[in-house]
């Protein structure tokens, strides 16, 4: 694993030599964020040794290097989901590569379904904590000591300082944000009524099919994580509950400018 990471890093550095300080992972329907960056280089996943290749509609599949708010960053346009059939170690491979490129913080976005009954479609939820029990942990297997410790502490997966800063940024811009708990599920099915109700009882504010494995790998390596969900559907509700991927993408697109503003300002304060 370590040598695969190193080979990917070596290739990327042969194409772009500047070290990014932050990595940005863009969720479903949230790809146009990149227009805010001053792009310096784009590298297709298909060109990078050992990189998985994205298959989902709405994910284009490349690393984009450039500046955001004057800081060197790398953005993943397209991420890898467990439901696509990747092993959890594949899902987190790019996060590990970003760490070895020099990244200290990871900014993660996702589309999520609300299980908190006060949330509305289009709302933003800053992730304060997560529950990972419904998806396989990417650290299962022999520990790679060069990456981190066997039993990582998970008392604060989402950095509280960044969350405080984000709250101030949102407030100053008149953007309302929630702060809540994200439950990860494997997907690709959306949840049944009974499952949304169960997640709500268990303490979930939102549910989604990404982010948590990436966060675990990042925390394992000592990276600072900031996570934000765009609420694209209300899972827990009384009426007939149908959800389509198209609706999710549409809702994400609407909320994207708010999310972009917060990420951009936050990166500027690193
Ligand atoms: N459930 C799981 N994943 C999701 C949802 C949802 O309701 N919405 C967007 N991603």
């Amino acid at each position: 694993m370590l040598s695969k990471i190193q080979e990917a890093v070596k290739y990327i550095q042969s194409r772009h030599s500047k070290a990014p300080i932050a990595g940005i992972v863009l969720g479903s329907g949230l790809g146009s964020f990149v227009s805010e960056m001053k792009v310096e280089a784009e590298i297709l996943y298909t060109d990078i040794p050992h990189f998985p290749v994205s298959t989902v509609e709405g994910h284009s599949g490349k690393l984009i290097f450039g500046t955001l708010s004057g800081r060197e960053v790398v953005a993943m346009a397209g991420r890898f989901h467990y439901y696509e059939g990747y092993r959890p170690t594949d899902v987190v491979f790019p996060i590990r590569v970003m760490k070895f490129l020099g990244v200290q913080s990871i900014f993660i976005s996702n589309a999520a379904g609300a299980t908190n009954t006060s949330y509305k479609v289009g709302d933003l939820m800053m992730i304060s904590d997560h529950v990972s029990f419904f998806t396989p942990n990417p650290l299962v297997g022999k520990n790679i000591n060069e990456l981190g410790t066997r039993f990582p502490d998970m008392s604060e997966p989402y950095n509280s300082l960044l969350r405080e800063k984000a709250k101030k940024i949102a407030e100053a811009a008149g953007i309302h944000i929630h702060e809540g708990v994200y439950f990860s599920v494997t997907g690709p099915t959306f949840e049944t009524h009974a499952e949304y109700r169960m997640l709500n009882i268990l303490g979930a504010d939102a549910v989604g099919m990404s982010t948590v494995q990436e966060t675990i790998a990042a925390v394992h390596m000592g990276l600072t994580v900031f996570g934000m969900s765009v609420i694209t559907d209300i899972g827990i509700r009384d009426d007939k509950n149908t959800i389509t991927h198209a609706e999710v993408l549409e809702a994400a697109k609407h909320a994207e400018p708010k999310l972009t503003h917060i990420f951009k300002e936050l990166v500027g304060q690193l």
Side-chain angles (χ1 to χ4, degrees):
M1 172 61 70
L2 200 58
S3 63
K4 286 185 179 171
I5 297 168
Q6 282 159 347
E7 281 170 37
V9 167
K10 204 168 145 207
Y11 174 78
I12 293 165
Q13 286 173 337
S14 76
R15 298 267 310 265
H16 182 74
S17 59
K18 284 189 201 159
I21 61 160
I24 299 164
V25 185
L26 303 169
S28 303
L30 300 167
S32 67
F33 176 88
V34 172
S35 60
E36 296 293 322
M37 285 173 64
K38 211 161 142 258
V39 176
E40 293 165 349
E42 296 193 346
I43 305 178
L44 294 178
Y45 293 162
T46 44
D47 289 345
I48 306 171
H50 313 298
F51 235 68
V53 176
S54 186
T55 63
V56 189
E57 195 190 325
H59 293 259
S60 48
K62 58 189 170 186
L63 284 183
I64 303 175
F65 290 84
T67 55
L68 182 72
S69 303
R71 305 282 191 281
E72 291 292 335
V73 301
V74 53
M76 280 181 75
R79 58 137 63 99
F80 305 103
H81 302 88
Y82 180 64
Y83 64 74
E84 293 175 86
Y86 298 112
R87 291 169 300 183
T89 46
D90 290 332
V91 172
V92 304
F93 186 76
I95 306 292
R96 290 175 164 166
V97 167
M98 288 198 277
K99 155 82 181 180
F100 281 77
L101 288 172
V103 157
Q104 288 148 26
S105 312
I106 299 278
F107 290 71
I108 304 184
S109 63
N110 61 54
T115 48
N116 182 318
T117 52
S118 73
Y119 290 7
K120 309 262 179 302
V121 168
D123 282 358
L124 294 182
M125 184 192 87
M126 194 161 65
I127 305 176
S128 59
D129 209 346
H130 72 220
V131 171
S132 76
F133 296 159
F134 302 126
T135 48
N137 192 306
L139 305 185
V140 168
K142 192 173 182 306
N143 187 53
I144 306 167
N145 294 326
E146 290 83 354
L147 299 184
T149 180
R150 171 74 289 186
F151 300 106
D153 174 70
M154 288 297 281
S155 57
E156 192 187 305
Y158 303 90
N159 184 262
S160 56
L161 203 64
L162 286 178
R163 277 188 278 143
E164 285 312 310
K165 285 183 180 175
K167 271 189 217 168
K168 293 203 179 96
I169 290 165
E171 208 176 296
I175 299 169
H176 174 67
I177 54 174
H178 303 286
E179 197 170 2
V181 176
Y182 179 92
F183 269 50
S184 67
V185 290
T186 65
T189 43
F190 291 115
E191 289 65 42
T192 64
H193 280 295
E195 286 165 346
Y196 282 120
R197 276 199 304 274
M198 182 198 80
L199 293 170
N200 169 272
I201 291 165
L202 291 180
D205 294 296
V207 54
M209 306 173 195
S210 67
T211 301
V212 166
Q213 290 173 331
E214 292 149 335
T215 295
I216 289 172
V219 171
H220 182 227
M221 299 183 295
L223 297 178
T224 298
V225 180
F226 179 79
M228 190 91 141
S229 295
V230 175
I231 302 302
T232 55
D233 51 273
I234 306 299
I236 186 160
R237 62 189 192 196
D238 295 331
D239 58 352
K240 192 166 155 282
N241 189 6
T242 62
I243 299 169
T244 65
H245 186 53
E247 273 169 23
V248 165
L249 293 179
E250 185 60 27
K253 205 167 79 191
H254 274 298
E256 188 177 26
K258 295 189 288 185
L259 178 104
T260 301
H261 177 79
I262 294 169
F263 271 27
K264 201 173 145 184
E265 294 295 312
L266 208 48
V267 166
Q269 291 184 21
L270 286 176

